[in-house]
Amino acid sequence: MNTENAGFNTKLIHGGDIDDQFGSATVPIYQTSTFSFKSAEEGAKCFAGESDGYIYTRIGNPTINALEKQIAILENGYGAIAVSSGMAAATTIYLALLSSGDHIVSTDAIYGPSRGVMEKQFVRFGFQSTYINTTDVDAIEKAIRPNTKMLYIETPANPTMDITDLKACADIAHKHGIILVVDNTFCSPYLQNPLDFGADIVFHSMTKFINGHADIIAGIIITKEKALYTQLRTMMINLGCNMDPHQAYMVLRGLKTLSIRIDRAQENAMKVAEFLEKHPKVAWVKFPGLKSHPQYELGKQQMKGDGSMISFGLKTGFEGAKILMNNVHLALLAVSLGGIETLIQHPASMTHAKVSKEDKQKAGITDDLIRFAVGIEDAKDIIEDLKHGLEKI
Ligand code: LCS
């Protein structure tokens, strides 16, 4: 079926490849490392890029390719490159597009390792980075240097839930001739399409909403144009951080229910956020659906929904948070997010533990911040669980 003019949900179900050979309703798993050529001439043509036949799974594979095509369609991109994890996506982008002496400007409150790898590992290769609060558009302008090559943002940011203006970032990036990269993990293509606002590259940890079932680690990079696509694909092939065909099959399976999972999770999240905001032991709540969110209006403009991630703090700080985390039973005390189950975690001591105390403070990753990833259970049970845990404080 041609889904070019179809709606998002139809594209989710019918946007991918179909099996012409046997009419299989799902994309088959081509669990192979290599592909045979019909002749020496055909093999030579494949290697010369004159034929688009498959060669070797690190380079390309029909199951992986079906996922790449479908995500590229959902993000309105030119093409997509599937990789082994969200971190593989981030590091492939850094390594493909930055050289020694180049500088990036990035959101300070991003997933800890996306920042840690730059500041602690890639600094050895001469990469320079500045981390700022990207909700402040003027601060972005000020942070750009003559050697800045990339503006890298996460919106909403993990774990502060700060929302950065996509259109303003695209305008700044293009005025300065730099590339805008957006980590779209917290929204998925269902809730936000950064390429439509002018971003050059979008990536996802598909471990989260896109796969959605807490059983796979995976990532994907989507580009607006062919040139960046080719550069990134070449780096992925050479780094060898390709996806496995079985992994791609699992993600294709999870992807089909993306919109109905998110619809339920964000409906639950709204109820949970409202409950928390009214609770006497809760000091503050940050959720894009609450009018109290500092970038509420911006969120409504660039996101198609509020998502299901909530940050909040207790009046009793980290001591209270520990009691809460030790006394919830439905919510799993676990990192990750975007799955069908509700998770609770403490970023300052878990996902962002390796960010220095001073940088955490500056980025708003305070000691009292609890991150709550709302799942698709019944809202009343999630709220009951929180109520019970909060009573113990
Ligand atoms: N980007 C964001 C926004 C993330 O939240 C994560 C993982 C990654 C990239 C990396 O993806 P991965 O390699 O794990 O597929 N976030 C995690 C989190 O918040 N808790 O556990 C993992």
Side-chain angles (χ1 to χ4, degrees):
M1 177 190 171
N2 180 352
T3 55
E4 206 178 309
N5 298 315
F8 189 90
N9 295 302
T10 306
K11 283 179 180 164
L12 272 183
I13 308 301
H14 299 289
D17 274 356
I18 49 149
D19 170 25
D20 287 335
Q21 199 176 2
F22 299 111
S24 164
T26 59
V27 177
I29 311 175
Y30 288 91
Q31 194 72 50
T32 181
S33 59
T34 196
F35 298 83
S36 60
F37 307 114
K38 292 206 169 58
S39 66
E41 289 77 10
E42 193 210 327
K45 269 192 180 167
C46 281
F47 272 91
E50 291 158 14
S51 151
D52 48 0
Y54 289 101
I55 298 171
Y56 187 61
T57 283
R58 176 159 51 74
I59 300 171
N61 172 289
T63 315
I64 301 168
N65 197 230
L67 175 64
E68 291 171 332
K69 273 201 211 157
Q70 196 164 4
I71 300 283
I73 288 170
L74 298 175
E75 280 287 18
N76 303 323
Y78 165 80
I81 302 132
V83 287
S84 55
S85 68
M87 279 311 295
T91 52
T92 299
I93 292 167
Y94 293 149
L95 290 171
L97 305 175
L98 298 173
S99 302
S100 178
D102 287 348
H103 172 248
I104 83 161
V105 173
S106 176
T107 309
D108 50 10
I110 57 173
Y111 176 56
S114 304
R115 175 173 180 167
V117 74
M118 284 301 277
E119 292 188 316
K120 300 203 175 81
Q121 309 289 324
F122 293 167
V123 69
R124 288 187 290 115
F125 308 145
F127 295 179
Q128 300 169 18
S129 50
T130 303
Y131 292 89
I132 54 161
N133 180 346
T134 52
T135 64
D136 179 353
V137 174
D138 292 338
I140 303 175
E141 276 278 4
K142 285 194 193 112
I144 290 173
R145 304 175 188 165
N147 61 336
T148 304
K149 291 287 159 59
M150 186 184 289
L151 173 57
Y152 177 109
I153 61 171
E154 207 179 277
T155 181
N158 183 0
T160 57
M161 300 308 296
D162 281 338
I163 298 173
T164 293
D165 189 329
L166 290 168
K167 172 77 171 55
C169 284
D171 290 346
I172 293 173
H174 299 146
K175 188 173 102 190
H176 292 276
I178 63 180
I179 292 168
L180 175 61
V181 176
V182 182
D183 181 339
N184 201 24
T185 300
F186 267 37
C187 280
S188 92
Y190 181 47
L191 297 185
Q192 183 167 271
N193 301 115
L195 298 182
D196 293 352
F197 290 87
D200 302 290
I201 297 172
V202 170
F203 82 91
H204 295 270
S205 163
M206 297 199 292
T207 313
K208 313 295 168 358
F209 291 100
I210 292 180
N211 178 61
H213 291 74
D215 50 9
I216 281 290
I217 299 284
I220 200 154
I221 307 164
I222 308 98
T223 71
K224 192 153 186 81
E225 306 291 347
K226 185 177 178 180
L228 282 176
Y229 168 85
T230 308
Q231 244 176 304
L232 289 159
R233 178 165 282 283
T234 304
M235 181 54 78
M236 179 281 285
I237 292 167
N238 290 317
L239 289 175
C241 57
N242 60 284
M243 187 173 270
D244 175 82
H246 183 259
Q247 191 184 10
Y249 172 83
M250 293 290 280
V251 180
L252 279 164
R253 189 177 197 275
L255 177 63
K256 291 192 182 184
T257 55
L258 177 70
S259 55
I260 55 170
R261 281 186 281 107
I262 291 187
D263 284 345
R264 165 73 82 92
Q266 65 183 1
E267 197 183 311
N268 284 350
M270 191 69 216
K271 291 179 185 158
V272 171
E274 282 170 344
F275 160 78
L276 287 169
E277 203 168 42
K278 285 196 204 107
H279 199 284
K281 290 182 183 169
V282 174
W284 58 271
V285 183
K286 223 141 135 220
F287 176 64
L290 291 178
K291 292 222 169 75
S292 56
H293 190 291
Q295 296 91 31
Y296 173 81
E297 290 299 335
L298 176 62
K300 291 283 170 223
Q301 282 164 34
Q302 62 186 32
M303 294 161 66
K304 296 169 192 165
D306 305 320
S308 53
M309 296 299 295
I310 302 174
S311 287
F312 65 99
L314 298 178
K315 289 180 181 159
T316 42
F318 185 34
E319 287 312 309
K322 277 192 269 190
I323 300 173
L324 175 65
M325 288 189 286
N326 288 333
N327 284 283
V328 285
H329 303 297
L330 177 148
L332 303 180
L333 175 54
V335 297
S336 203
L337 58 112
I340 48 183
E341 57 288 282
T342 296
L343 307 176
I344 190 167
Q345 71 115 353
H346 179 247
S349 67
M350 296 178 186
T351 43
H352 296 68
K354 296 214 163 63
V355 179
S356 74
K357 212 172 165 55
E358 195 196 350
D359 286 340
K360 271 197 284 246
Q361 205 63 34
K362 261 203 256 165
I365 307 167
T366 48
D367 246 7
D368 68 337
L369 191 156
I370 300 168
R371 199 187 70 184
F372 202 65
V374 182
I376 66 167
E377 304 93 340
D378 289 299
K380 73 170 181 40
D381 294 330
I382 303 171
I383 291 171
E384 202 51 50
D385 193 38
L386 278 170
K387 208 186 271 178
H388 169 83
L390 288 165
E391 270 164 18
K392 300 280 176 185
I393 300 167

